[in-house]
Amino acid sequence: VLLEEASAGDVVATSRIHSEQYLSRAPAIIAFTTLVALCGLGFSRRYLHGEFMFDRLVLLPAGMLVGLHLVAAAPNLGVALGGWSLMGLCSTFLIGAYNDRPTARNNATYVFMV
């Protein structure tokens, strides 16, 4: 059996179908991740209230959530990479939040370099 080569139009049409299927799931992904993040933020509000870095420990996971929303609903690769970069940056600062501890500093540096 001989295989036919696909034309460029077929590839573009197929990629459009897959991206439309993915984008149709984006609202569900965003709703689920928001629900999980709100549970985590609610817990941290009660558990970490009065901590000297409370603001930082609330804003960084919120920044990660914004980055995840950008990745989930990205219309193109540039927006997805921007969201991914935001998640990585917030993750690095969250890992190194207690920078007076050498282990936290070393782990944050490792994550940033990887």
Side-chain angles (χ1 to χ4, degrees):
V1 176
L2 295 174
L3 297 175
E4 295 180 24
E5 290 187 28
S7 68
D10 292 339
V11 173
V12 171
T14 304
S15 67
R16 270 197 203 119
I17 291 170
H18 290 302
S19 72
E20 288 172 4
Q21 289 173 349
Y22 175 75
L23 287 177
S24 67
R25 290 186 224 141
I29 294 170
I30 290 172
F32 178 72
T33 56
T34 302
L35 178 68
V36 170
L38 286 176
C39 291
L41 288 173
F43 171 77
S44 67
R45 181 168 182 347
R46 287 189 296 278
Y47 182 72
L48 296 171
H49 191 70
E51 186 75 27
F52 73 96
M53 290 190 307
F54 177 72
D55 296 336
R56 187 185 311 176
L57 294 173
V58 170
L59 287 176
L60 287 172
M64 288 179 70
L65 180 64
V66 169
L68 183 61
H69 286 179
L70 286 172
V71 170
N76 57 32
L77 185 60
V79 175
L81 287 175
W84 192 262
S85 298
L86 179 63
M87 283 194 318
L89 189 66
C90 289
S91 175
T92 301
F93 283 121
L94 193 59
I95 291 169
Y98 289 97
N99 56 7
D100 56 335
R101 300 176 184 169
T103 306
R105 279 195 311 264
N106 294 338
N107 290 339
T109 304
Y110 175 77
V111 168
F112 184 73
M113 296 310 264
V114 170

